[in-house]
Amino acid sequence: MSTLHLAATTLVTLALLLTALSLHVSRLRLRYRQTWGDGGHKELATAIRTHGNTLEQGSLFGLLLLAHAQLPDAPFSALAAVCAVFLLARLLYCAGAFTRRLPWRQAAHAVTLLAQLTASGLLARATWTA
């Protein structure tokens, strides 16, 4: 598998997660007849924020992956591990948000940031040592 295939696989997985989260928000908007904002419904507020947070974090990580895919000497094994950790962290974040388990969300956020920093470091190293 190439770095480009790894990036594509990770991005497809993120896209599927974001689509599922978006559909969940839409379903709750229909249930509560709320077209804008959360209308004071905690369940809808959680769904909106979980979708937004995943989009925010996934966008940065996706850009880092696309940059890695352009480099001929990107470290594949390390990047594959970072992608797996990032995806697992986002799933843990969603689970923690929907079950209201703050420690899960906090741990997932910390791991997400660590994965982003690691991907940034790998990119910087691959760029500056090429």
Side-chain angles (χ1 to χ4, degrees):
M1 179 183 274
S2 69
T3 305
L4 183 58
H5 285 101
L6 174 64
T9 301
T10 303
L11 290 171
V12 164
T13 305
L14 276 172
L16 291 172
L17 176 59
L18 283 164
T19 300
L21 292 170
S22 179
L23 289 170
H24 183 58
V25 170
S26 295
R27 183 181 63 79
L28 291 174
R29 286 193 182 286
L30 288 171
R31 176 192 296 168
Y32 295 121
R33 298 174 193 220
Q34 190 68 41
T35 58
W36 189 255
D38 60 32
H41 303 283
K42 285 185 179 183
E43 185 180 22
L44 180 55
T46 299
I48 291 168
R49 196 60 218 127
T50 302
H51 177 255
N53 186 277
T54 301
L55 181 59
E56 293 162 7
Q57 302 304 323
S59 297
L60 173 59
F61 195 78
L63 289 172
L64 291 168
L65 280 180
L66 291 175
H68 274 285
Q70 301 303 310
L71 298 174
D73 296 327
F76 181 82
S77 297
L79 191 57
V82 171
C83 288
V85 166
F86 181 83
L87 290 172
L88 289 173
R90 295 321 304 164
L91 291 172
L92 179 63
Y93 181 89
C94 293
F98 291 131
T99 61
R100 303 202 187 280
R101 289 188 169 95
L102 181 60
W104 289 17
R105 278 185 34 231
Q106 290 172 327
H109 183 67
V111 173
T112 293
L113 294 178
L114 182 60
Q116 289 172 342
L117 288 171
T118 302
S120 297
L122 290 171
L123 182 60
R125 183 172 174 238
T127 301
W128 295 329
T129 59

